[in-house]
């Protein structure tokens, strides 16, 4: 496990605990766990806790690596390229049986050219930035973890445990992986993708002042009739001019924005746990519960009923 300065500690400790538990369930050491750093001394994590590495890359460590994983850092997308890290990854990753990343660790592999032509995932909050910066990489922003040839990538933070468990199943079989999941009190297969956790759609209003005011009004009144004609009339524009202006300045069509606003309103109501999907649909401007369900599944990846079960606040 390669851990760089500012690393998210759970990106390291989570997967390592899964492999360690596999060793425990087997009764012998199937995995020898090694934490590598880019420079001598303790690795200061994003939480401030410090981690002592077992080895420093670029040194005399020439032992074969079976599985090489790169842990993520909250600021990985802004970190400058470290040539020592990139050179080491380019040399060692292709020689490993498999390699990959947890969370934003994908940025370091991408900088080394190791994701080109591959399908990957990373944390939903930085998925678009990864795709924009490295156009040769296909980014699946909903997946919990992805396998593509020798490459394995995981979404944000706790998804590193899901990835490690999948690797245990690959290596040691279904029974051992199930026992590990049971002992660690984790899903064997997590239901749904990571978009159910995403808040990306809750964007700050965009465009000129009149359009921003209109977006705030729609978000505050999702149940009203927000047809293009009605929205255009509200800011004294023709429907054609309004549609063109909105798409140019906001980046999506008015209809798509309205649907996203309604889905976000539905999420908030479902999280409160007081209303059934049918009632939520009526309050958020959807024709019926089926229309809400289809729109919700497109944007969030699960049904409103499933979302309510997982995220509703239960008041006793």
């Amino acid at each position: 496990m390669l851990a760089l300065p500012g690393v998210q500690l759970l990106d390291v400790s989570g997967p390592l605990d899964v492999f360690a538990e596999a060793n425990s369930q087997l009764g012998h050491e199937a995995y020898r766990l090694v934490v590598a750093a880019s420079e001598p001394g303790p690795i200061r994590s994003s939480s401030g806790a410090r981690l002592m590495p077992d080895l420093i890359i670029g040194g005399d460590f020439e032992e074969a690596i079976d599985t090489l994983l790169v842990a993520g850092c909250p600021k990985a997308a802004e970190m400058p390229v470290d040539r020592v890290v990139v050179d080491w990854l380019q040399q060692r990753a292709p020689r490993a049986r498999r390699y990959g990343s947890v969370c934003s660790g994908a940025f370091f592999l991408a900088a080394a050219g190791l994701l080109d032509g591959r399908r990957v995932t990373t944390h939903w909050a930085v998925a678009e930035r990864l795709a924009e910066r490295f156009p040769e990489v296909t980014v699946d922003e909903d997946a919990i973890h992805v396998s593509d040839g020798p490459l394995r990538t995981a979404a944000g933070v706790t998804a590193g445990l899901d990835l490690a468990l999948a690797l245990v199943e690959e290596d040691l079989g279904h029974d051992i992986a199930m026992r590990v999941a049971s002992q660690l009190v984790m899903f064997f297969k997590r239901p749904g993708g990571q978009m159910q956790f995403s808040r990306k759609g809750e964007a700050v209003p965009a465009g000129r002042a009149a359009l921003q005011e209109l977006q705030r009004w729609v978000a505050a009144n999702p149940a009203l009739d927000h047809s293009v004609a009605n929205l255009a009339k509200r800011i004294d524009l023709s429907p054609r001019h309004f549609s063109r202006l909105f798409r140019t300045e906001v980046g999506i069509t008015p209809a798509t924005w309205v649907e996203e606003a309604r889905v976000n309103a539905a999420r908030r109501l479902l999280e409160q746990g007081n209303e059934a999907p049918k009632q939520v649909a009526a309050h958020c401007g959807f024709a019926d519960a089926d229309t809400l369900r289809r729109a919700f599944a497109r944007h969030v990846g699960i049904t409103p009923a499933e979302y309510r079960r997982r995220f509703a606040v239960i008041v006793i």
Side-chain angles (χ1 to χ4, degrees):
M1 178 72 76
L2 176 60
L4 301 174
V7 69
Q8 184 109 30
L9 201 57
L10 192 55
D11 286 3
V12 179
S13 61
L16 294 186
D17 273 341
V18 170
F19 294 126
E21 184 58 35
N23 286 342
S24 178
Q25 292 296 330
L26 276 174
H28 64 83
E29 189 181 72
Y31 299 104
R32 186 164 68 88
L33 308 176
V34 177
V35 175
S38 58
E39 54 192 38
I43 307 163
R44 191 172 187 84
S45 71
S46 60
S47 67
R50 288 182 285 186
L51 180 68
M52 284 300 298
D54 299 296
L55 64 91
I56 309 303
I57 64 174
D60 297 328
F61 182 79
E62 289 299 327
E63 188 174 343
I65 299 173
D66 176 82
T67 301
L68 170 59
L69 296 176
V70 183
C73 307
K75 297 184 178 179
E78 292 87 36
M79 290 173 65
V81 174
D82 185 331
R83 289 310 315 177
V84 172
V85 172
V86 167
D87 290 346
W88 187 80
L89 287 172
Q90 288 173 336
Q91 293 169 16
R92 300 307 302 266
R95 291 157 52 189
R97 177 169 66 96
R98 61 193 175 196
Y99 63 93
S101 59
V102 178
C103 196
S104 58
F107 280 87
F108 305 114
L109 292 177
L114 294 166
L115 303 186
D116 289 355
R118 299 287 189 181
R119 176 174 165 265
V120 308
T121 193
T122 187
H123 193 288
W124 61 264
V126 294
E128 282 187 9
R129 296 172 72 178
L130 182 66
E132 290 169 0
R133 188 178 305 176
F134 303 99
E136 297 301 314
V137 181
T138 300
V139 182
D140 183 341
E141 61 183 284
D142 185 46
I144 297 296
H145 58 84
V146 170
S147 174
D148 186 345
L151 177 66
R152 307 287 188 274
T153 51
V157 197
T158 59
L161 283 83
D162 299 81
L163 173 61
L165 189 63
L167 298 183
V168 169
E169 186 180 21
E170 282 183 28
D171 298 336
L172 306 176
H174 180 82
D175 181 60
I176 292 295
M178 284 290 289
R179 285 156 57 185
V180 170
S182 177
Q183 186 63 31
L184 297 182
V185 196
M186 61 180 288
F187 283 114
F188 180 68
K189 301 290 184 186
R190 192 194 301 229
Q194 62 169 323
M195 294 312 293
Q196 62 188 297
F197 305 100
S198 167
R199 293 298 180 186
K200 188 177 65 173
E202 298 181 6
V204 175
R208 63 187 64 186
L211 289 179
Q212 291 190 30
E213 182 59 33
L214 181 68
Q215 291 166 68
R216 282 189 282 269
W217 178 75
V218 170
N221 302 278
L224 298 182
D225 179 0
H226 295 310
S227 66
V228 169
N230 284 348
L231 295 176
K233 183 178 179 180
R234 188 170 180 84
I235 57 174
D236 297 322
L237 294 176
S238 71
R240 179 176 293 181
H241 184 198
F242 167 73
S243 292
R244 185 166 56 247
L245 181 67
F246 193 98
R247 182 154 195 164
T248 299
E249 298 203 7
V250 181
I252 57 177
T253 67
T256 299
W257 197 95
V258 168
E259 182 173 271
E260 289 181 352
R262 285 173 167 162
V263 167
N264 288 332
R267 287 176 73 150
R268 290 190 290 273
L269 287 179
L270 291 165
E271 287 164 5
Q272 292 170 13
N274 299 322
E275 298 181 342
K278 182 178 179 179
Q279 296 170 300
V280 171
H283 290 313
C284 295
F286 292 100
D288 50 41
D290 283 342
T291 306
L292 167 63
R293 181 177 53 79
R294 290 192 295 270
F296 206 88
R298 278 196 300 274
H299 292 276
V300 186
I302 57 176
T303 68
E306 290 170 325
Y307 188 85
R308 186 172 183 266
R309 283 196 296 271
R310 294 176 197 172
F311 296 98
V313 176
I314 306 300
V315 180
I316 300 177

